[in-house]
Amino acid sequence: MGLSAVETRAPLPWLLPRWRELVRLMDAGRLPHALLISGPHGTGKQTLAEALTARALCAQPAEIACGNCHSCHMLASGYHPDLLRVAPEEGKRMIRIDPIRQVNTFVSQTAQQGGYRVIEIKPAEAMNIAAANALLKSLEEPGARTLFILQSDMPSRLLPTIRSRCQHWSLAIPELDSCLGWLVEQLGSDEEARFWWRAAGGLPLLATEMAAPTSRALRQQLHETFDALVRGAEPVAEAARLDRQSVDNILWYGIAWLEDLIRFGLSGESGDVRNPDLMPLYRQAVKNARVQDWFRLLDYAREQRRLLGEGGNPNAQLVLEAWLVRWAALLRS
């Protein structure tokens, strides 16, 4: 019995042109030994990498991996001897040197299935300096039929020496026409698909994440929180009501809404915003503070999120309280 489309890692519809380029290079024997696949979260980097890994390991590949050979069945089971995946340890944000040392050992071995050896590293920018430097030797001398697939949301954070040893494939935000059918299938209606696509800034996978019940509930709770701040609610008390939520996620929404607010403040056009349901909040905010004040708050939010992302370990509740105090001051100024 053949495997399903998910198990064979079929590429997503809007990625088909890039996928066909990869297949053409692979079939011509011209696929580089190291690829850096980058793009914003939600473009589908992971699905493209998985499709490429599956096809590289497949014994009888066609347009995609066959799904029937022994190699495909091993991959579907969750283990393949010629595949090594590297990611931060659970609960950690950095990739340290020990997993990269395992990569160097893996690369020196012969492929057990007689085909490619594949090394996936994600997110590649999570490698610390020691790990990145340790990877350079393998990238420079990978041996025959070795394929490195690095994924990155922010390739600028990679060492230039790593970037220069990879062929860079940057995934652009797709046009609505190329992903609308898929989104309708995932979200159940054209109206839902268009709303969440717009709210996600055109990133299809992010749209489905935002539309999921938990994310939708958090977004609604934050909307109610900001409406309460406009009406004079106490920011610290509002922060306490959010204490079970991820501060990183709260800041992400706040940044997206601030970017919307700034677009509206500069253009005066509601058609420029990604979250049209928040227009009453935006109009109130623009009335009460200057655009440069919102830029300063945006810089603060981005810096706090960066510190959280780098494991700076600030007190999350204090960050949230300070964040809402600043919002409240501007909403009511």
Side-chain angles (χ1 to χ4, degrees):
M1 183 177 67
L3 301 178
S4 71
V6 172
E7 291 169 319
T8 53
R9 278 70 170 186
L12 293 163
W14 59 92
L15 295 176
L16 283 174
R18 308 308 303 274
W19 172 248
R20 288 172 185 137
E21 291 180 59
L22 288 168
V23 169
R24 179 178 56 79
L25 289 172
M26 184 180 286
D27 289 349
R30 294 171 46 223
L31 189 70
H33 73 276
L35 298 172
L36 170 59
I37 302 176
S38 73
H41 172 72
T43 49
K45 296 185 297 295
Q46 176 68 26
T47 63
L48 190 65
E50 287 180 351
L52 185 59
T53 292
R55 194 176 192 275
L57 295 174
C58 178
Q60 301 168 333
E63 177 71 15
I64 60 175
C66 74
N68 292 312
C69 68
H70 179 58
S71 187
C72 283
H73 281 296
M74 282 194 294
L75 184 61
S77 74
Y79 170 75
H80 195 293
D82 297 328
L83 171 63
L84 181 62
R85 291 188 170 109
V86 178
E89 295 177 17
E90 187 173 353
K92 306 290 185 183
R93 295 184 181 270
M94 302 295 294
I95 296 174
R96 304 191 184 277
I97 194 170
D98 287 344
I100 302 302
R101 287 180 174 145
Q102 295 175 16
V103 169
N104 295 339
T105 301
F106 179 78
V107 167
S108 69
Q109 299 168 347
T110 303
Q112 294 188 30
Q113 298 300 304
Y116 275 96
R117 291 163 301 176
V118 181
I119 302 96
E120 293 183 2
I121 302 177
K122 69 162 188 175
E125 65 269 21
M127 288 186 290
N128 64 19
I129 297 294
N133 283 326
L135 184 65
L136 286 174
K137 179 175 173 54
S138 291
L139 284 177
E140 289 169 349
E141 303 171 6
R145 294 179 71 76
T146 300
L147 178 59
F148 286 88
I149 305 175
L150 281 65
Q151 297 176 52
S152 175
D153 288 352
M154 293 171 286
S156 61
R157 291 192 180 179
L158 278 167
L159 287 182
T161 46
I162 295 288
R163 294 200 305 268
S164 68
R165 285 161 175 78
C166 301
Q167 187 176 95
H168 191 177
W169 287 59
S170 178
L171 305 184
I173 296 175
E175 297 293 333
L176 177 59
D177 288 349
S178 66
C179 60
L180 181 59
W182 182 86
L183 280 170
V184 170
E185 186 178 311
Q186 302 298 312
L187 300 178
S189 75
D190 184 83
E191 181 182 6
E192 284 277 293
R194 289 177 184 274
F195 176 84
W196 291 109
W197 174 84
R198 183 173 174 179
L203 297 164
L205 295 181
L206 180 57
T208 61
E209 291 174 19
M210 292 178 67
T214 302
S215 298
R216 198 182 288 225
L218 173 58
R219 185 179 184 275
Q220 179 61 32
Q221 185 179 3
L222 289 174
H223 190 178
E224 292 168 0
T225 295
F226 286 114
D227 283 343
L229 292 177
V230 170
R231 296 193 303 270
E234 169 55 47
V236 173
E238 293 301 315
R241 294 189 181 94
L242 294 166
D243 67 349
R244 295 181 181 275
Q245 303 287 356
S246 160
V247 175
D248 183 69
N249 289 343
I250 291 170
L251 288 173
W252 184 90
Y253 276 107
I255 289 168
W257 295 357
L258 279 168
E259 291 172 345
D260 249 4
L261 180 55
I262 289 167
R263 286 188 201 99
F264 177 60
L266 291 174
S267 72
E269 298 292 335
S270 60
D272 293 335
V273 306
R274 294 176 177 173
N275 299 274
D277 58 321
L278 301 182
M279 279 306 304
L281 175 66
Y282 296 156
R283 288 195 175 94
Q284 184 71 30
V286 165
K287 188 193 313 181
N288 288 353
R290 299 167 301 173
V291 170
Q292 54 262 46
D293 296 326
W294 298 112
F295 270 114
R296 280 193 283 271
L297 184 55
L298 179 61
D299 288 341
Y300 171 82
R302 285 174 172 166
E303 176 64 11
Q304 294 304 310
R305 194 161 185 257
R306 183 188 66 79
L307 291 172
L308 286 168
E310 292 179 354
N313 203 30
N315 183 304
Q317 194 62 22
L318 289 179
V319 168
L320 181 55
E321 289 175 5
W323 163 239
L324 292 184
V325 165
R326 284 168 168 80
W327 262 99
L330 292 181
L331 286 169
R332 303 200 295 257
S333 61

